Amino acid sequence: MRMATWNVNSIRARVDRVTDYLIREDIDVLCMQEIKCREHQFPFDAFTAVGYEVVMHGLNQWNGVAIASRLPMTDVERDFPSMPGFGEPDADGVSPLEARAIGATVDGVRFYSLYIPNGRELDHPHYTYKLEWLRGLARDTAGWLAGSPELPLALTGDWNVAPFDRDVWDVAEFAGSTHISPLEREAFFAFEALGLRDVVRPLVPEGYTYWDYKQLRFPRNEGMRIDFIMGSPAFASLVEGARIDRDERKGDGPSDHVPVVVDLAVDSEFGDEYDRPMIFG
DNA sequence: ATGGCGAGTGGTACTCGA
């Protein structure tokens, strides 16, 4: 099985690039973030035309996550139990939930497509929200793994955290900014304390996954490494290859993020017909 | 060439992003 995670920055603006990529790169499961649409706006037909089912979670023009798969998906879950909301509270004092998490199981592997809040500024309520969001996810992940220690689980997506100084082109540029602060890094590394690990970094030690559209960031290779596939021990043991598809930042109409890909040694329970679907008739 | 931001929206001015 080959899976990827990709912050697509609007699926409607990027649908041709995404479906072309799925076919060209032989991707079985794609976790997408920032789809930026509601369900009635999602281009499902473009995915079904090339042999993929899609499950999605989108409430408005912001955020939004989805999973496309050419193998059957089960146990689809939006949000997670400890996920906090953000913004104007309702009459009961509860802030509304945002569309930032969706999970599905494919061939016995549990995938989550996650769009961690940005944080905006260190003194902004969004920063507190980001930390509570990550801590809530860690709490629920601990519960999932306590119940199923052998579960192949991958928390994938745009983490909006640069765990190491080398994950930004110039750490001095980020002094006093989000993404590199000790509390964000602590919230990120808490997942390693639960036994999860970044399954890509050992195989791809160098490279960014995001370059801002502004200020020639890509031509100058001034980027950030903030998109990760964090795997449970059982998931990590399945990984047999990884890459960051930097070329997807090139050409006309790219996302500002690129796909992060892993190959998994999963024996499909669905048989050979799913290995090369007859997508062109 | 990888080239100076781009996506969304009761829009032509604003929010959001990292």
Side-chain angles (χ1 to χ4, degrees):
Chain A
M1 175 192 288
R2 174 170 291 167
M3 75 80 50
T5 183
W6 192 2
N7 179 323
V8 297
N9 185 15
S10 171
I11 190 56
R12 287 177 289 172
R14 218 79 61 207
V15 60
D16 290 343
R17 271 191 83 124
V18 172
T19 53
D20 287 354
Y21 176 79
L22 288 174
I23 297 312
R24 189 175 70 251
E25 300 299 334
D26 200 25
I27 305 293
D28 296 302
V29 178
L30 176 66
C31 294
M32 289 173 271
Q33 301 87 38
E34 278 207 272
I35 61 171
K36 290 185 168 177
C37 68
R38 303 172 194 227
E39 184 160 17
H40 73 276
Q41 300 169 310
F42 192 97
F44 290 105
D45 290 349
F47 283 83
T48 56
V50 291
Y52 292 79
E53 294 176 27
V54 175
V55 295
M56 62 86 72
H57 183 27
L59 299 172
N60 51 42
Q61 70 270 41
W62 307 119
N63 317 307
V65 286
I67 304 176
S69 174
R70 55 186 183 193
L71 300 163
M73 288 181 277
T74 60
D75 303 292
V76 177
E77 299 265 15
R78 275 90 179 169
D79 311 322
F80 49 86
S82 299
M83 195 181 86
F86 182 74
E88 200 57 40
D90 63 18
D92 298 321
V94 179
S95 292
L97 299 181
E98 299 184 311
R100 295 179 176 274
I102 188 169
T105 299
V106 182
D107 248 337
V109 181
R110 185 73 178 155
F111 294 101
Y112 264 88
S113 179
L114 303 168
Y115 180 43
I116 281 73
N118 169 290
R120 299 185 189 168
E121 308 292 340
L122 296 181
D123 58 357
H124 195 284
H126 211 260
Y127 178 75
T128 307
Y129 170 51
K130 177 181 194 172
L131 295 175
E132 291 178 351
W133 204 98
L134 283 167
R135 290 166 185 160
L137 179 62
R139 184 158 57 247
D140 290 347
T141 300
W144 298 330
L145 290 175
S148 307
E150 300 305 315
L151 175 69
L153 167 70
L155 304 183
T156 84
D158 177 356
W159 288 74
N160 270 321
V161 178
F164 301 98
D165 286 354
R166 66 179 180 277
D167 295 332
V168 297
W169 78 93
D170 179 4
V171 73
E173 287 268 335
F174 286 82
S177 299
T178 59
H179 294 66
I180 66 160
S181 73
L183 287 177
E184 287 165 274
R185 287 174 168 176
E186 181 179 294
F188 179 85
F189 286 119
F191 291 87
E192 296 196 342
L194 297 175
L196 277 74
R197 66 202 67 171
D198 178 344
V199 299
V200 175
R201 198 181 292 268
L203 298 168
V204 188
E206 300 297 324
Y208 302 131
T209 64
Y210 162 87
W211 298 261
D212 200 299
Y213 289 120
K214 293 182 285 188
Q215 297 176 272
L216 293 172
R217 291 300 187 208
F218 186 57
R220 298 180 194 273
N221 196 30
E222 295 175 344
M224 305 173 73
R225 185 167 176 142
I226 52 176
D227 299 270
F228 301 108
I229 298 171
M230 299 295 289
S232 68
F235 183 90
S237 71
L238 298 173
V239 174
E240 48 187 15
R243 66 174 193 268
I244 297 171
D245 272 328
R246 189 178 186 281
D247 285 353
E248 282 304 312
R249 186 64 176 78
K250 302 177 182 178
D252 292 331
S255 171
D256 42 3
H257 296 251
V258 295
V260 178
V261 188
V262 293
D263 284 315
L264 303 170
V266 176
D267 292 325
S268 178
E269 63 176 290
F270 299 109
D272 292 341
E273 70 268 26
Y274 283 99
D275 290 339
R276 294 291 184 278
M278 298 295 287
I279 55 170
F280 300 116

